[in-house]
Amino acid sequence: MAEEERERFTTAEIGAVAHLYRGEVYRSTIWRTRLDTTTNWSVVTLGVALSISFASPEASPLPLVLVGVLIVFFLVLEARRYRYFNVWRARCRWMETHFYAPMLMEGDLHLEENWQEVLAKDYLRPEYHVSFASAMGRRIRRNYLWILLIQTVAFAGKVAVHPTPVETWAQALDRSAVGPLPGWVVIAVGSLYILWWSGMAFWSWRRDNARARRRGNGGSGMG
């Protein structure tokens, strides 16, 4: 008898779910704005470093190296914010897929599939839907890989053209030196720096594709 009673939502319950959806959309919008804020901070700080380093031929490329620390800090902060955003986004998408789409197409909410129980459990025991590493990988793919590449190209360009066009590899190594660190160390660390974040982006891309395939084969996870 209880199962028969839950085959349909009452009008009041449908209205309550609609208001719930509006609330989740609002929260996801707020956190989407916070993600854009940290990205803007990264772009601005990189722009400042570019301005300082290219202000004159004699200017040091050191700001382009130090700004990498700030960019990584903003990336970590944005990945943390993304995990929160993804909770609200996943709930919205879940209701769109299982509540609104079936109602619009068939007029049937398919409660027998128990999608509402998945949503209810997420409210009773809320948790992140993606790992911190996956969140970082997604943000790198969306924005930060381009920021990091611009930083790397700008450093290489500074070394190549200031104060005069570079003529030998030894000269490039000498210009790349930062304080007590020889040029080859700076270049090696910089190469590992960009390869590490690129590798994380590729890893998260493959992981997300695997999750999408699982959902296509009948998986019911959110996020």
Side-chain angles (χ1 to χ4, degrees):
M1 188 65 179
E3 292 182 358
E4 293 180 359
E5 293 176 353
R6 295 313 305 159
E7 288 181 356
R8 292 184 178 275
F9 279 152
T10 66
T11 302
E13 289 171 334
I14 291 177
V17 174
H19 284 295
L20 178 64
Y21 174 75
R22 289 176 60 192
E24 295 296 357
V25 168
Y26 175 76
R27 290 202 284 189
S28 66
T29 301
I30 293 298
W31 282 89
R32 173 74 253 183
T33 302
R34 294 183 179 182
L35 292 180
D36 293 339
T37 300
T38 46
T39 301
N40 291 339
W41 290 345
S42 297
V43 172
V44 169
T45 54
L46 178 57
V48 171
L50 288 169
S51 299
I52 296 174
S53 294
F54 286 90
S56 68
E58 292 76 23
S60 171
L62 180 60
L64 292 171
V65 176
L66 296 180
V67 76
V69 178
L70 279 176
I71 291 175
V72 171
F73 170 76
F74 293 140
L75 172 60
V76 171
L77 183 61
E78 187 165 322
R80 178 179 176 274
R81 290 180 173 183
Y82 179 84
R83 297 183 79 192
Y84 284 99
F85 160 77
N86 189 64
V87 172
W88 324 131
R89 183 206 61 81
R91 289 174 180 173
C92 289
R93 186 58 183 156
W94 192 258
M95 283 187 274
E96 289 168 355
T97 304
H98 298 283
F99 180 79
Y100 287 103
M103 182 171 59
L104 292 171
M105 294 179 65
E106 307 169 17
D108 185 357
L109 298 180
H110 296 288
L111 298 185
E112 71 279 1
E113 297 177 3
N114 295 323
W115 61 264
Q116 71 278 11
E117 292 185 9
V118 176
L119 184 61
K121 289 178 181 178
D122 193 63
Y123 279 106
L124 291 171
R125 293 181 294 275
E127 59 182 18
Y128 294 121
H129 297 151
V130 295
S131 66
F132 186 78
S134 293
M136 288 191 70
R138 290 183 182 182
R139 299 320 297 162
I140 293 170
R141 280 158 41 204
R142 296 294 186 274
N143 295 317
Y144 279 80
L145 185 58
W146 301 107
I147 296 174
L148 295 169
L149 286 173
I150 291 172
Q151 177 198 3
T152 303
V153 171
F155 180 85
K158 173 67 178 179
V159 170
V161 301
H162 282 172
T164 57
V166 69
E167 297 178 355
T168 64
W169 176 246
Q171 188 180 22
L173 288 178
D174 183 63
R175 292 183 183 182
S176 300
V178 174
L181 296 178
W184 69 269
V185 172
V186 175
I187 292 176
V189 172
S191 300
L192 290 175
Y193 172 81
I194 194 66
L195 288 174
W196 171 266
W197 300 121
S198 299
M200 181 168 284
F202 180 73
W203 169 81
S204 72
W205 174 75
R206 294 196 57 178
R207 186 180 179 89
D208 286 345
N209 283 345
R211 292 181 64 175
R213 286 194 295 270
R214 287 197 297 270
R215 290 199 195 95
N217 292 331
S220 60
M222 297 174 67

